[in-house]
């Protein structure tokens, strides 16, 4: 299934990005509401795959904005440029969001996507599910950093500050540490540019791999959470005391039982 979410301004005009694109599946289900600037707006639809929820906090848009949720079936775009160090498999469950005349949210928007066991390929593992957004310019799927799956409720949640096409994806972990990648590099938090991201991503890991952050002088300042089932972990740019580290170059060391230690570098530019 492919879910299409579009937005119109108060005059009813839909953005160009929200128009039906060539090759996209036809629409089958829709819902519309008005996002008020000073109130939380929640849209809920219930396609066969389960509840889909989009939550816009107050201040997402400066003016009342019409939000339309549309559900359709069909093929998703292929990943012409896979993320580095990631083996990613898209599933036929997706959400598309557009707003106004190419507006982007000023606050994080929470996405909750449900799935059924029968929606997953036979060899897929639910604990590896995440939400990714499709970057039209780079023609690739980008995993949302805070994606979290609840296998008991069969839901995946993530927040986004960029409206686009989204899909459930399965991240297949590496079998060794030979393909570890740290990105974005340099990391420029808050820059709103190509290297701005909520956290530094360390991917291409084996599940439960240990990752530590060191200064150039060899002092360990942070041990990250073990790699998840998809072989990924995140560094929020803080040390073990929760303080943001200064701009500079840092070593990222990854190790796992039976694997040689891998050392990478990442530059932090604040």
């Amino acid at each position: 299934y492919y879910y299409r979410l579009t937005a119109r301004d108060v005059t009813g005009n839909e953005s160009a990005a929200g128009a039906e694109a060539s090759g996209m599946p036809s629409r089958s289900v829709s819902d519309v509401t008005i996002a008020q600037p000073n109130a939380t707006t929640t849209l809920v639809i219930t396609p066969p795959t389960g509840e889909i929820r989009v939550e816009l906090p107050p201040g997402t848009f400066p003016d009342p904005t019409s939000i339309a949720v549309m559900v359709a079936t069909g093929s998703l775009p292929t990943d012409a440029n896979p993320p580095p160090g990631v083996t990613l498999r898209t599933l036929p469950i997706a959400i598309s969001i557009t707003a106004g005349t190419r507006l982007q949210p000023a606050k994080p928007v929470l996405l909750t996507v449900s799935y059924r066991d029968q929606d997953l390929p036979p060899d897929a593992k639910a604990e590896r599910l995440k939400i990714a957004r499709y970057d039209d310019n780079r023609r690739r799927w980008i995993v949302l950093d805070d994606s979290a799956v609840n296998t008991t409720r069969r839901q995946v949640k993530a927040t986004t500050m960029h409206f686009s096409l989204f899909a459930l994806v399965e991240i297949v972990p590496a079998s060794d540490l030979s393909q570890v990648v740290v990105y974005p590099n340099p990391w420029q938090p808050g820059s709103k540019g190509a290297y701005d991201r909520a956290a530094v991503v360390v991917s291409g890991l084996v599940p439960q791999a240990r990752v530590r952050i060191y200064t150039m002088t060899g002092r360990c300042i942070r041990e990250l959470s073990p790699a998840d089932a998809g072989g990924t972990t995140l560094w929020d740019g803080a040390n073990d005391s929760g303080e943001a580290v200064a701009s500079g170059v840092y070593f990222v060391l990854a190790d796992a039982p039976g694997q040689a230690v891998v050392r990478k570098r990442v530059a932090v530019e604040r």
Side-chain angles (χ1 to χ4, degrees), residues 91-205:
L91 304 181
I93 304 175
I95 304 171
S96 179
I97 309 176
T98 60
T101 54
R102 302 183 182 274
L103 296 176
Q104 294 298 342
K107 299 286 184 67
V109 173
L110 176 63
L111 312 178
T112 302
V113 180
S114 300
Y115 64 90
R116 303 169 300 181
D117 291 338
Q118 60 263 43
D119 298 320
L120 308 182
D123 59 340
K125 294 186 177 181
E127 62 267 24
R128 299 176 181 173
L129 295 181
K130 295 180 182 292
I131 298 176
R133 71 173 180 88
Y134 190 72
D135 187 315
D136 289 313
N137 294 328
R138 289 184 282 179
R139 297 173 58 202
R140 91 182 203 194
W141 292 97
I142 300 174
V143 177
L144 300 185
D145 295 334
D146 61 351
S147 291
V149 60
N150 185 322
T151 56
T152 301
R153 297 176 62 89
R154 294 180 177 83
Q155 290 181 336
V156 186
K157 294 187 176 185
T159 59
T160 182
M161 289 283 290
H162 188 93
F163 283 173
S164 178
L165 172 66
F166 301 85
L168 285 190
V169 299
E170 181 190 14
I171 306 299
V172 181
S175 58
D176 56 42
L177 297 179
S178 63
Q179 299 297 317
V180 174
V181 176
V182 181
Y183 63 95
N185 196 359
W187 181 47
Q188 299 172 337
S191 67
K192 300 187 183 302
Y195 297 98
D196 182 11
R197 197 153 178 156
V200 175
V201 181
V202 185
S203 64
L205 300 163

Side-chain angles (χ1 to χ4, degrees):
Y1 294 90
Y2 168 98
Y3 305 96
R4 186 171 183 78
L5 175 62
T6 62
R8 299 181 180 88
D9 61 25
V10 293
T11 64
N13 295 321
E14 183 179 290
S15 66
E20 198 72 26
S22 174
M24 290 296 184
S26 60
R27 300 168 181 173
S28 59
V29 176
S30 65
D31 189 17
V32 179
T33 192
I34 301 294
Q36 298 295 337
N38 298 319
T40 297
T41 302
T42 302
L43 297 92
V44 179
I45 55 176
T46 54
T49 52
E51 182 180 275
I52 306 296
R53 181 180 293 264
V54 180
E55 299 178 56
L56 293 77
T60 299
F61 298 106
D63 301 304
T65 303
S66 178
I67 307 293
V69 182
M70 300 180 184
V71 180
T73 60
S75 300
L76 294 172
T78 57
D79 197 337
N81 183 22
V86 172
T87 301
L88 182 151
R89 176 164 61 172
T90 56
L91 304 181
I93 304 175
I95 304 171
S96 179
I97 309 176
T98 60
T101 54
R102 302 183 182 274
L103 296 176
Q104 294 298 342
K107 299 286 184 67
V109 173
L110 176 63
L111 312 178
T112 302
V113 180
S114 300
Y115 64 90
R116 303 169 300 181
D117 291 338
Q118 60 263 43
D119 298 320
L120 308 182
D123 59 340
K125 294 186 177 181
E127 62 267 24
R128 299 176 181 173
L129 295 181
K130 295 180 182 292
I131 298 176
R133 71 173 180 88
Y134 190 72
D135 187 315
D136 289 313
N137 294 328
R138 289 184 282 179
R139 297 173 58 202
R140 91 182 203 194
W141 292 97
I142 300 174
V143 177
L144 300 185
D145 295 334
D146 61 351
S147 291
V149 60
N150 185 322
T151 56
T152 301
R153 297 176 62 89
R154 294 180 177 83
Q155 290 181 336
V156 186
K157 294 187 176 185
T159 59
T160 182
M161 289 283 290
H162 188 93
F163 283 173
S164 178
L165 172 66
F166 301 85
L168 285 190
V169 299
E170 181 190 14
I171 306 299
V172 181
S175 58
D176 56 42
L177 297 179
S178 63
Q179 299 297 317
V180 174
V181 176
V182 181
Y183 63 95
N185 196 359
W187 181 47
Q188 299 172 337
S191 67
K192 300 187 183 302
Y195 297 98
D196 182 11
R197 197 153 178 156
V200 175
V201 181
V202 185
S203 64
L205 300 163
V206 299
Q208 297 300 306
R210 183 175 64 164
V211 178
R212 290 163 291 169
I213 309 298
Y214 286 82
T215 65
M216 292 293 287
T217 61
R219 181 168 63 92
C220 181
I221 59 171
R222 182 75 177 273
E223 180 165 344
L224 306 182
S225 299
D228 61 18
T232 299
T233 191
L234 304 174
W235 180 37
D236 60 2
N239 58 24
D240 278 330
S241 299
E243 302 166 330
V245 301
S247 296
V249 177
Y250 296 84
F251 288 117
V252 180
L253 269 66
D255 65 88
Q259 301 285 328
V261 176
V262 173
R263 185 175 70 175
K264 301 288 181 178
R265 294 186 184 188
V266 61
V268 176
E269 298 178 358
R270 296 191 184 278

